[in-house]
Amino acid sequence: MSRLSLNARILLGAILWTVGLFTIVGVFHNFVMFHYPSAPVVLHSTFGHAPATALVAGLCMLFGFLQVRRGMAPINQLRTRLAAVHTGIDARVGGSYPAEVQPLVDDLNALLDERERRVTRAVAKAGDLAHGLKTPLAVLAHEAQQARAAGHGQLAAEIDQQIDRMRRQIDYHLAHARSAASAVSPAARASVAASAEGLVRALQRLHADRDLRIEIDAPASHAFQGQREDLDEMLGNLLDNACTWARTRVRLTCSNEGEQIVIAVDDDGPGIEASMREAVMRRGVRADEAAPGSGLGLAIVRDLAEIYGGSISLEESPMGGARARLTLPGLGAV
């Protein structure tokens, strides 16, 4: 019985249901005829077996229901397996299925494998391109040093600025390629607390000359469903922005909202005007053109978050400055 195909199970279940229904109709007919004296005698005698007939009918209907349910079980199993692939628990659709369903599963797995191979090749090519650009950029940086030594400070500063922009663009597109690969194989996990603590240590050294306090309130069980490098990129940009504008204090908090985690980065700086909050998340736009940077930080955070199905918004902070609210797919525990 376990080797029956899906079609055979459904057909057998339908037959058993039909037999059960016809039997119940016959029992009901005999019951009605029993109350009429003019009914044929043979019907009277048939009614005497009504309890046994009703039992057989009930069993037929029960087994028919179980057979149809068992026939549909592979479909439910396939839905569960696909959900596991979608959430990153599994990389492929596993399990054994009837002959009608197995080809579909094989095609899905072949599609997943081919997509992963293509993305892996694309990421490798992007890495090769970035590596190939390092030498020309190093040459340009050397030329800038030579120009500065020759007294051409303005020219050297312009070259340095363009080199910095090119490096930021390379980092931006590499982050895209890496996160696209993560979306294809989303089995990675990254602790929010571990990522934030490592970044805060680096930022505290960077801003050691300032009286700046950086606080973290992120439970150890809160995890991002994605690559650690991508989480570092997003949190690093948000914390760096907050430290740049903060007067004395920066705070990172993390909370759960259903299947998502919400990371808030607050500072006590001047904040961002409501009319500018959407604009500063576009590439190349800065809240203060006099400030250093290329205006790519928030754009990178937004694009990475959207690739993972998350989002970022800028709000007014309870601390008086700006709040960056980052929503990402999360897990209850690492």
Side-chain angles (χ1 to χ4, degrees), residues 151-236:
H152 303 292
Q154 184 176 356
L155 175 61
E158 181 65 25
I159 294 175
D160 286 336
Q161 183 181 10
Q162 296 304 319
I163 291 174
D164 180 66
R165 288 193 175 189
M166 284 187 282
R167 284 173 175 164
R168 294 287 290 179
Q169 288 284 353
I170 292 171
D171 292 341
Y172 175 80
H173 291 292
L174 280 177
H176 265 268
R178 188 176 61 243
S179 59
S182 300
V184 173
S185 302
R189 307 288 189 273
S191 166
V192 175
S195 177
E197 288 168 359
L199 292 166
V200 166
R201 285 193 294 268
L203 288 168
Q204 285 175 334
R205 289 193 297 269
L206 183 63
H207 298 277
D209 58 335
R210 299 170 57 193
D211 185 19
L212 185 62
R213 187 168 79 253
I214 308 175
E215 304 170 357
I216 301 174
D217 182 10
S221 62
H222 289 187
F224 162 58
Q225 188 177 342
Q227 294 289 343
R228 169 67 182 267
E229 295 84 357
D230 292 333
L231 182 61
D232 287 347
E233 182 77 23
M234 289 183 279
L235 295 188

Side-chain angles (χ1 to χ4, degrees), residues 5 10 16 33 51 85 88 90 124 132 144 156 161 171 195 201 215 226 237 242 264 290 299 306 328:
S5 68
I10 295 176
L16 291 174
M33 295 299 294
V85 172
D90 295 325
Q161 183 181 10
D171 292 341
S195 177
R201 285 193 294 268
E215 304 170 357
N237 278 297
E306 289 178 352
L328 297 169

Side-chain angles (χ1 to χ4, degrees), residues 35-319:
H35 290 77
Y36 292 89
S38 58
V41 177
V42 65
L43 293 180
H44 295 178
S45 60
T46 303
F47 180 73
H49 301 285
T53 307
L55 177 61
V56 172
L59 289 175
C60 285
M61 293 187 68
L62 175 62
F63 284 116
F65 170 77
L66 294 176
Q67 194 63 37
V68 172
R69 183 177 179 182
R70 188 174 182 182
M72 296 302 296
I75 304 300
N76 296 328
Q77 179 188 2
L78 179 58
R79 290 183 61 188
T80 302
R81 296 285 188 174
L82 284 173
V85 172
H86 179 71
T87 56
I89 298 175
D90 295 325
R92 302 176 79 255
V93 180
S96 179
Y97 302 89
E100 295 85 356
V101 180
Q102 190 63 49
L104 173 62
V105 175
D106 294 339
D107 289 343
L108 283 173
N109 285 328
L111 180 62
L112 290 171
D113 291 341
E114 178 61 23
R115 187 184 178 196
E116 186 169 3
R117 284 193 295 269
R118 290 186 179 183
V119 172
T120 301
R121 288 196 297 268
V123 172
K125 287 183 179 295
D128 293 341
L129 176 61
H131 182 75
L133 290 173
K134 286 182 179 180
T135 299
L137 289 176
V139 172
L140 287 175
H142 178 73
E143 292 297 325
Q145 292 177 359
Q146 294 292 329
R148 187 175 291 107
H152 303 292
Q154 184 176 356
L155 175 61
E158 181 65 25
I159 294 175
D160 286 336
Q161 183 181 10
Q162 296 304 319
I163 291 174
D164 180 66
R165 288 193 175 189
M166 284 187 282
R167 284 173 175 164
R168 294 287 290 179
Q169 288 284 353
I170 292 171
D171 292 341
Y172 175 80
H173 291 292
L174 280 177
H176 265 268
R178 188 176 61 243
S179 59
S182 300
V184 173
S185 302
R189 307 288 189 273
S191 166
V192 175
S195 177
E197 288 168 359
L199 292 166
V200 166
R201 285 193 294 268
L203 288 168
Q204 285 175 334
R205 289 193 297 269
L206 183 63
H207 298 277
D209 58 335
R210 299 170 57 193
D211 185 19
L212 185 62
R213 187 168 79 253
I214 308 175
E215 304 170 357
I216 301 174
D217 182 10
S221 62
H222 289 187
F224 162 58
Q225 188 177 342
Q227 294 289 343
R228 169 67 182 267
E229 295 84 357
D230 292 333
L231 182 61
D232 287 347
E233 182 77 23
M234 289 183 279
L235 295 188
N237 278 297
L238 296 181
L239 287 168
D240 185 44
N241 281 345
C243 290
T244 299
W245 297 105
R247 294 188 177 94
T248 61
R249 186 183 174 203
V250 172
R251 180 176 174 83
L252 182 147
T253 59
C254 182
S255 60
N256 268 339
E257 288 188 4
E259 296 182 353
Q260 295 181 317
I261 54 172
V262 177
I263 302 170
V265 178
D266 294 280
D267 65 70
D268 61 352
I272 303 175
E273 294 182 7
S275 59
M276 286 291 296
R277 290 171 187 168
E278 181 61 30
V280 296
M281 287 191 288
R282 296 197 296 265
R283 280 190 290 175
V285 177
R286 289 175 288 169
D288 185 353
E289 292 298 329
S294 60
L296 286 174
L298 289 176
I300 291 176
V301 176
R302 183 194 62 187
D303 288 352
L304 284 176
E306 289 178 352
I307 288 174
Y308 281 103
S311 64
I312 180 176
S313 61
L314 298 177
E315 307 167 358
E316 183 177 352
S317 171
M319 294 167 54

